[in-house]
Amino acid sequence: MTSIGGAQMVDWNLAVATATRLVRPGPDISREEARAVVAELRRHARASEEHVRLFTRMIPEGTEPEDTPVLVVDRAGWIKANVAGFRELLRPLLAKMESRRSGGPGGAVLGAVGGKVTGVELGMLLSFLASRVLGQYETFAPATRELPASADGGGRLLLVAPNIVHVERELDVDPHDFRLWVALHEETHRTQFTGVPWLRDHLQGEIQTFLDETDVDPMTFLERLREAAQSLAGAGRPEGEQGESDSRSLVDIVQTPAQREVLGRLTAVMSLLEGHADFVMDGVGPEVVGSVSEIREKFQQRRAQGAGRLDQALRKLLGLDAKLRQYKDGEKFVRSVVEEVGMDGFNRVWTSPNTLPTKAEIAKPADWVARVHRKAES
């Protein structure tokens, strides 16, 4: 395990234990009901594969995409899967910090604080998220005994059963329709990565470039942590007393100027992926999800409102509000392009990294059409 000053930088086992202990209990449901929900979600995942494939036309007929497992998990299962993913993704950064460590006071402080504190903090973050995520396609997912992944060590689809049941009850919508609707969204993500062979490596390269640009000086790292703590403390101030810095998320606080360029490209890609999934789940919906209009309307209201003042403050700090904008902006981009050049014309976006939209093009879809289509036709 990578360490600084002889102490673990991140105690991953403590992160799992902390998150599992702190996460809210799931909805009240009998064992028989739980089994039925799990079985239905698995059926919907299988059915969604064909629905998404026909609607998106991303995978040519006769082509079999890479098989990736579908796992229906509880909140603790989601926590374990994401800790395994974080551990894999951050491995190069932690190794870099180890190679750069010095005997100065910053290194000593980090060595003393060690991975216990970091593990607890990560666990607290995961406990907050674990009760909110409905599903997730894990792009960088190392296989474990409990959580299998695709043959090349990456890719699995998670459906978080207790969260899906909680939201369908909260929204008072048809549970069978809602479960299929969620499965369609997550299956679209699986289709994106299994149908576009270069996408996973491209995204991983961008993330690693972002991490490579991270300032790993221990004292700078501690200063950034203090700024983050001050920003979180600001969430408890009365309205109107927040300073300018309070509008920044944790991601904004820790990034360097060089990282902003990478983050802009990552934001564009994530907006495309999330918006495309929303477009597909609603596009397929009328054929197979009878109450799709009601579900979308109620779900959009829930997304916008959040669960209260503390929830809104945490979403802002963690950058989750930016993720909500990605759904909205990305869906508008996809819808506009499909209306102008059709589904096959939109699918040129998957040709190569050069045909991905920029952050500016997400906001102005006509610019992407002009660059990718009209330039190619001239």
Side-chain angles (χ1 to χ4, degrees), residues 74-297:
D74 58 11
R75 290 170 178 175
W78 181 88
I79 289 166
K80 290 176 183 176
N82 276 267
V83 166
F86 282 143
R87 186 173 183 172
E88 184 68 20
L89 198 59
L90 294 177
R91 193 183 302 276
L93 175 62
L94 298 182
K96 180 180 177 182
M97 292 185 76
E98 165 64 10
S99 68
R100 288 277 302 273
R101 75 179 175 91
S102 66
V109 172
L110 279 178
V113 174
K116 298 294 182 187
V117 171
T118 310
V120 168
E121 290 172 344
L122 178 58
M124 292 172 67
L125 167 61
L126 289 170
S127 71
F128 170 76
L129 296 174
S131 61
R132 287 158 172 78
V133 176
L134 301 182
Q136 174 183 359
Y137 182 78
E138 279 201 293
T139 315
F140 315 106
T144 67
R145 187 183 307 173
E146 297 176 323
L147 298 163
S150 63
D152 66 352
R156 60 182 166 227
L157 191 152
L158 306 179
L159 296 170
V160 191
N163 295 350
I164 293 172
V165 172
H166 171 78
V167 174
E168 71 192 25
R169 290 179 177 180
E170 182 183 283
L171 298 181
D172 190 25
V173 294
D174 182 284
H176 309 294
D177 281 0
F178 184 74
R179 292 165 197 173
L180 177 55
W181 189 69
V182 171
L184 287 167
H185 182 102
E186 302 309 329
E187 177 57 40
T188 302
H189 286 317
R190 184 164 71 151
T191 299
Q192 289 163 350
F193 283 95
T194 57
V196 184
W198 53 264
L199 184 58
R200 180 179 182 271
D201 288 342
H202 172 72
L203 191 60
Q204 185 173 31
E206 292 282 57
I207 292 171
Q208 289 305 326
T209 300
F210 182 88
L211 294 177
D212 287 344
E213 292 294 335
T214 300
D215 192 335
V216 293
D217 173 70
M219 292 311 294
T220 303
F221 179 76
L222 288 174
E223 181 59 33
R224 297 265 172 88
L225 281 180
R226 279 194 289 270
E227 286 186 49
Q230 290 166 5
S231 179
L232 181 58
R237 298 177 198 162
E239 290 183 17
E241 290 188 15
Q242 281 85 354
E244 228 177 278
S245 63
D246 293 322
S247 64
R248 295 188 297 169
S249 72
L250 187 56
V251 172
D252 294 323
I253 290 169
V254 301
Q255 68 176 294
T256 64
Q259 287 174 306
R260 291 191 183 97
E261 261 185 72
V262 183
L263 193 62
R265 296 195 299 269
L266 279 171
T267 298
V269 174
M270 297 312 296
S271 296
L272 171 68
L273 299 181
E274 296 294 357
H276 183 235
D278 265 12
F279 177 79
V280 171
M281 72 194 296
D282 288 346
V284 174
E287 298 294 325
V288 297
V289 182
S291 57
V292 63
S293 297
E294 178 192 2
I295 290 172
R296 167 56 71 190
E297 182 180 356

Side-chain angles (χ1 to χ4, degrees), residues 311-378:
D311 183 79
Q312 290 172 0
L314 285 170
R315 288 195 323 184
K316 185 176 183 180
L317 177 68
L318 298 172
L320 299 183
D321 279 347
K323 184 174 177 65
L324 297 182
R325 287 194 297 274
Q326 287 172 9
Y327 286 107
K328 184 178 177 181
D329 296 345
E331 196 275 340
K332 282 184 178 178
F333 171 83
V334 176
R335 185 173 300 281
S336 296
V337 172
V338 171
E339 286 175 356
E340 185 164 350
V341 296
M343 184 64 77
D344 291 332
F346 165 78
N347 280 340
R348 286 198 192 180
V349 79
W350 312 117
T351 304
S352 75
N354 293 329
T355 57
L356 290 172
T358 64
K359 191 175 178 181
E361 288 170 341
I362 288 287
K364 293 183 177 180
D367 290 354
W368 180 86
V369 172
R371 176 172 68 86
V372 174
H373 281 267
R374 292 170 192 153
K375 183 178 179 181
E377 292 163 4
S378 59

